[in-house]
Amino acid sequence: MGYVTSIVEQLRAAGCVFAEEEAELLIAAAPDGARLAGLVARRVAGEPLEHVVGWAEFCGLRVEVGAGAFVPRRRSEFLAGEAVALARPGAVVLDLCCGVGALGAAVASQVPGGVELHAADIDPAALAYARRNVAPYGGAVWEGDLYAALPAELCGRVDVLVVNAPYVPTGEIGLMPPEARVHEPLVSLDGGEDGLDVHRRVAAGAGRWLAPGGHLLIETSARQAPLTASALMAGGLAVRAAASEELHATVVIGRAPAA
């Protein structure tokens, strides 16, 4: 087991807090010693562990990810849970700004009887993973800029619109950990001057796509929640907020008029 100790020591020297656990995952992902050495070298160089091993755990699922893709965050499990609570069996669920499709897959996996799942994103690299992640749930994947990606037949039919759009202010990107700002696409991080450019665009267009009484759920920060809520209200939605202290997560939820 000397090689295991060596790997742990390399990871610790690189600043990996959970070196032992990471070593186990790297060893499990490597078919041979040469491959293992390559994976360890990538991790030591600063690549996200999820990119190196090819998957991330999210809501109990093993979600495929890889180089150049946004890694699903644990705090977003709260967003998924709030969406599950609002999704009836057979609901039309849209994961907008889906990235690798983790949110949509998580919701679909937890709603009894399943849902009609759609996922959309502007990033073709992320969508390559999303197609595989939503496939077990019959999900359809669409490529394009927000609602422009969607087929017209979805208009007025979406019961649950779940969104983890970028919400980091442009000026704060440089403060993010290198794993994110160096190895994840800027389009999945940068939310504009105050972080809420995409939130406003999502809110402004939601009314056309939501079914009567349908819900839009957007992850945001506690600091930005009032502005996200204002954007949803400007879009004609009745708004409330939910938060998880455990996950340090905040979600703003808007409901379309019933009629």
Side-chain angles (χ1 to χ4, degrees), residues 99-126:
V100 301
L103 280 168
V107 174
S109 72
Q110 295 183 45
V111 176
V115 301
E116 180 185 327
L117 178 60
H118 297 265
D121 200 281
I122 198 171
D123 182 0

Side-chain angles (χ1 to χ4, degrees), residues 87-217:
R88 57 176 174 75
V92 176
V93 174
L94 170 60
D95 181 359
L96 193 63
C97 303
C98 70
V100 301
L103 280 168
V107 174
S109 72
Q110 295 183 45
V111 176
V115 301
E116 180 185 327
L117 178 60
H118 297 265
D121 200 281
I122 198 171
D123 182 0
L127 290 179
Y129 296 103
R131 288 185 180 92
R132 296 195 289 271
N133 288 325
V134 305
Y137 314 102
V141 174
W142 311 98
E143 180 181 341
D145 184 17
L146 298 183
Y147 302 110
L150 305 177
E153 54 264 30
L154 273 182
C155 278
R157 294 188 56 236
V158 178
D159 299 300
V160 177
L161 173 50
V162 60
V163 183
N164 185 17
Y167 57 93
V168 179
T170 302
E172 297 179 16
I173 295 293
L175 304 177
M176 298 186 72
E179 287 189 5
R181 58 182 167 81
V182 174
H183 295 283
E184 293 180 324
L186 187 62
V187 69
S188 68
L189 304 174
D190 191 346
E193 184 176 357
D194 66 353
L196 301 176
D197 286 358
V198 184
H199 285 195
R200 294 186 184 94
R201 292 180 60 208
V202 168
R208 180 185 173 205
W209 298 91
L210 287 173
H215 290 85
L216 164 62
L217 303 92

Side-chain angles (χ1 to χ4, degrees), residues 37-141:
L39 297 182
V40 173
R42 289 172 59 191
R43 180 60 181 137
V44 168
E47 282 194 54
L49 177 67
E50 295 84 358
H51 284 181
V52 175
V53 301
W55 60 274
E57 184 177 348
F58 187 77
C59 292
L61 302 178
R62 182 176 286 203
V63 178
E64 288 192 42
V65 298
F70 180 81
V71 177
R73 310 299 202 247
R74 183 166 181 261
R75 64 175 173 269
S76 298
E77 293 183 352
F78 180 67
L79 173 59
E82 292 295 302
V84 169
L86 294 170
R88 57 176 174 75
V92 176
V93 174
L94 170 60
D95 181 359
L96 193 63
C97 303
C98 70
V100 301
L103 280 168
V107 174
S109 72
Q110 295 183 45
V111 176
V115 301
E116 180 185 327
L117 178 60
H118 297 265
D121 200 281
I122 198 171
D123 182 0
L127 290 179
Y129 296 103
R131 288 185 180 92
R132 296 195 289 271
N133 288 325
V134 305
Y137 314 102
V141 174

Side-chain angles (χ1 to χ4, degrees), residues 229-257:
S230 293
L232 269 63
M233 286 187 284
L237 306 179
V239 178
R240 63 183 174 90
S244 166
E245 291 187 10
E246 177 187 358
L247 296 177
H248 304 286
T250 302
V251 174
V252 173
I253 303 169
R255 184 177 186 274

